[in-house]
Amino acid sequence: MQKEKLQRLTDQLIKYTSEADDIYEGVREAGKEKDFFSEVKPFADQVKEACVQWESGMKEWMKETEFKHLFPEQIEQTAHNLSDVAVQAFFPKTSYKRFKSHVQSVEFILHHVKAEIERILS
């Protein structure tokens, strides 16, 4: 996979994480779940597809390039956590602490990946 595409996917995943966080804040405030088929599933499917592409592309790239302080397991876990967050964001009963913890860890790794990609490509 092209390195520039992975860079764009990483940026997209950062946006999805922020969007999921905003959705969660909104549903918590309203105290009302969103409709599964019209809102939850389309967003979750979009995020899942991007995560799958990003994870496989990053793991391939990591086989040929050394990333500082990043490991394939972190890529897997981040993709998995973001896929979970994309669904959990729509439900106000989701644990606040757990949700925010996942968002924070996803953002941390994605920003670290972004910085590493920029370092490698420059």
Side-chain angles (χ1 to χ4, degrees):
M1 183 180 282
Q2 291 179 337
K3 287 140 183 73
E4 291 77 17
K5 183 174 183 192
L6 283 169
Q7 195 171 27
R8 284 192 305 276
L9 268 174
T10 302
D11 288 336
Q12 183 62 55
L13 293 183
I14 290 169
K15 286 181 187 137
Y16 282 146
T17 306
S18 177
E19 192 176 341
D21 198 27
D22 291 345
I23 290 166
Y24 181 65
E25 290 295 338
V27 297
R28 263 185 78 85
E29 198 173 294
K32 190 169 181 242
E33 293 180 3
K34 298 283 186 176
D35 181 68
F36 184 79
F37 290 103
S38 69
E39 295 178 84
V40 181
K41 189 168 177 3
F43 181 73
D45 287 348
Q46 253 184 335
V47 173
K48 178 77 173 168
E49 176 61 34
C51 284
V52 167
Q53 286 181 29
W54 178 77
E55 180 183 350
S56 69
M58 283 301 298
K59 285 165 82 176
E60 279 301 309
W61 192 7
M62 290 176 102
K63 286 179 185 171
E64 60 191 49
T65 306
E66 190 173 327
F67 281 74
K68 289 183 180 174
H69 314 295
L70 270 177
F71 304 95
E73 296 80 19
Q74 290 171 296
I75 300 301
E76 278 176 35
Q77 194 61 50
T78 299
H80 177 77
N81 284 345
L82 181 50
S83 294
D84 285 353
V85 160
V87 175
Q88 294 168 353
F90 291 89
F91 301 96
K93 288 188 171 99
T94 297
S95 163
Y96 183 84
K97 188 176 179 182
R98 186 169 179 270
F99 182 84
K100 291 296 187 175
S101 173
H102 276 112
V103 166
Q104 196 173 27
S105 68
V106 166
E107 285 176 336
F108 178 81
I109 296 295
L110 289 174
H111 284 290
H112 192 67
V113 166
K114 182 179 173 153
E116 275 296 284
I117 290 173
E118 288 168 2
R119 180 188 68 80
I120 291 166
L121 293 181
S122 63

